[in-house]
Amino acid sequence: MITQTADHTDIRATNLAAVLGYLRREAPCSRAAIAAGTGLNKATVTSIVGELLDRRLVRETQQTQNHVGRPATLLVLDGSAYATIGLEVGARGLTALGCDAAGEQVLRWHRAGPGVDAGPAKTIAAVVALARRAITSVQSSGRQVLGITVGVPGLVNRDGAVVLAAGLGWSDVPLRAELAAALGRPDIPVTVDNDASLGVLAEHLYGPHAGTANLIQLTGDTGVGAGIIADGRPLAGHLGYVGEIGHLRLVPDGPACGCGRRGCLEALASLPAILEQVDGSIDDDPQHQLETLIRRADAQDAAVTKVLAEAGTHLGHGIAALVNILNPEVVLLGGAYALLADHLSPAIDKALREASIAPDAGGCTIAASTFPHTATPLGATAHALTPLTHGRLPARS
């Protein structure tokens, strides 16, 4: 009897996930359209929709008149009851984004600091303060917070510990556990993941290349990482250590990298490496420093364009390694790389085509992300919504 109950629960969750997924893609739509699109029978769809209406996850909207016969009431996702929070930790500061259960943005904040030299304890305190503020804001709108996901530039294991974040100078930081303890909200699940893995999730769900089965997003704001969608699924790997292309060793006697090696892609072409090559150091306001870099690049400052061309060549060689192994359809330049794409892309494309084995780089296209500032926290909000998208309804508050 217990096995049957579990099986029934699993089937119900699978069916509920199918209905929610169809609504997310096709709404507004009718119950009949959901049944036809998911293959579920009409009685099952009616039952599931009734539950979703009761839980304020779906609402009825206008009736359609463009067919013969009785008008059909249409359904759309309802974001009024629930939301998730995504946070990003990076060299340019902390970002918080809140999205409701229908995917609509309900808050977006950015704060400078604490900085890469602050250390884990100070950074965690700042993240907790920002998370508490975001929780208060979401709850004041009448929504229940379903979860918080934090993106970090480094190796994150399945327990949410940051094994290594060379760009932040972190190693073996039990981030998820410390955040959860400091927040003191056992009713709000906290998860931690790699920033690039969350960034590519946002691109795969919401960007111009949404649904692309083989998609990579490259970020370099702190370290250099690649988020990977392979055959339509996020690539997670055995322990979660995926996409650390930044520690591909390109120049054996090159500059020192935060990981302890020399000549890594991260030491050659991350944003901090680019800023240090142009200005000689990283100042206390890397965001302002980046804006100045962009202005100088747009003005064709020779010193800047030379550094960016060299960085683009290194990035092209790193991307070629990904292309040779994974054969993506699209590689997106994320974060600061997206803002500098016009200046990086020519050198990236040239190096990629020289270093890739397949003709025409295996059909790979290089493009700039349309979420240069929010891909990671946007992907984090989607990640925090995973239990619901898998058909597990939230506990009633």
Side-chain angles (χ1 to χ4, degrees):
M1 182 63 68
I2 293 175
T3 301
Q4 290 176 349
T5 302
D7 288 345
H8 174 75
T9 301
D10 290 344
I11 291 169
R12 181 73 171 178
T14 299
N15 293 343
L16 198 148
V19 171
L20 283 173
Y22 188 86
L23 280 162
R24 197 168 298 279
R25 295 188 304 272
E26 304 294 340
C29 54
S30 66
R31 290 166 174 80
I34 294 171
T38 60
L40 299 173
N41 66 55
K42 291 181 180 180
T44 298
V45 170
T46 297
S47 173
I48 288 173
V49 167
E51 188 170 13
L52 294 175
L53 286 167
D54 179 61
R55 300 296 293 274
R56 292 167 59 203
L57 286 161
V58 167
R59 61 183 173 84
E60 294 180 331
T61 184
Q62 78 275 7
Q63 294 182 329
T64 180
Q65 302 287 346
N66 58 355
H67 68 281
V68 177
R70 183 179 176 183
T73 301
L74 301 183
L75 300 163
V76 294
L77 293 174
D78 185 351
S80 63
Y82 305 100
T84 57
I85 295 167
L87 300 169
E88 179 181 12
V89 178
R92 289 195 282 155
L94 306 178
T95 301
L97 194 70
C99 289
D100 67 23
E104 296 297 320
Q105 182 177 304
V106 296
L107 67 86
R108 177 182 167 187
W109 299 324
H110 179 80
R111 57 151 292 181
V116 296
D117 298 325
K122 187 173 181 180
T123 302
I124 290 170
V127 171
V128 169
L130 191 61
R132 284 177 175 155
R133 182 183 165 203
I135 291 168
T136 299
S137 177
V138 168
Q139 291 179 332
S140 69
S141 71
R143 295 176 175 89
Q144 179 182 341
V145 179
L146 295 182
I148 296 174
T149 294
V150 183
V152 183
L155 292 176
V156 180
N157 68 21
R158 296 191 184 280
D159 294 325
V162 181
V163 176
L164 175 67
L168 296 175
W170 292 12
S171 61
D172 298 321
V173 178
L175 183 59
R176 190 209 65 78
E178 293 196 14
L179 288 175
L183 277 174
R185 292 293 301 266
D187 57 316
I188 301 178
V190 176
T191 54
V192 178
D193 206 341
N194 172 265
D195 61 343
S197 294
L198 294 172
V200 80
L201 179 60
E203 304 285 0
H204 190 244
L205 292 173
Y206 307 118
H209 300 279
T212 300
N214 293 281
L215 178 69
I216 293 175
Q217 193 224 42
L218 196 70
T219 59
D221 287 22
T222 305
V224 177
I228 302 167
I229 302 290
D231 294 334
R233 297 176 178 273
L235 192 63
H238 173 49
L239 297 176
Y241 306 150
V242 169
E244 286 297 321
I245 191 67
H247 299 289
L248 179 67
R249 197 176 185 191
L250 296 180
V251 181
D253 59 347
C257 180
C259 71
R261 300 172 179 84
R262 302 190 72 88
C264 294
L265 176 60
E266 188 167 300
L268 297 164
S270 65
L271 177 61
I274 290 170
L275 293 174
E276 189 161 1
Q277 290 173 61
V278 170
D279 296 331
S281 64
I282 307 297
D283 64 30
D284 293 333
D285 189 353
Q287 178 60 37
H288 178 264
Q289 200 171 5
L290 170 61
E291 292 167 359
T292 301
L293 176 73
I294 294 169
R295 285 196 298 271
R296 290 177 64 184
D298 290 343
Q300 296 298 307
D301 182 313
V304 172
T305 56
K306 180 176 183 293
V307 169
L308 291 177
E310 291 173 351
T313 298
H314 292 308
L315 288 170
H317 289 146
I319 292 171
L322 293 170
V323 167
N324 288 338
I325 296 169
L326 296 168
N327 188 209
E329 180 181 345
V330 180
V331 173
L332 293 168
L333 304 178
Y337 290 156
L339 303 175
L340 292 164
D342 288 346
H343 307 286
L344 293 169
S345 293
I348 289 174
D349 193 63
K350 183 174 184 294
L352 168 61
R353 293 179 188 282
E354 290 173 350
S356 57
I357 299 301
D360 195 30
C364 178
T365 299
I366 306 295
S369 170
T370 55
F371 305 127
H373 304 292
T374 60
T376 291
L378 180 59
T381 65
H383 185 276
L385 203 63
T386 298
L388 178 59
T389 60
H390 286 179
R392 297 193 292 277
L393 292 177
R396 294 183 185 270
S397 59

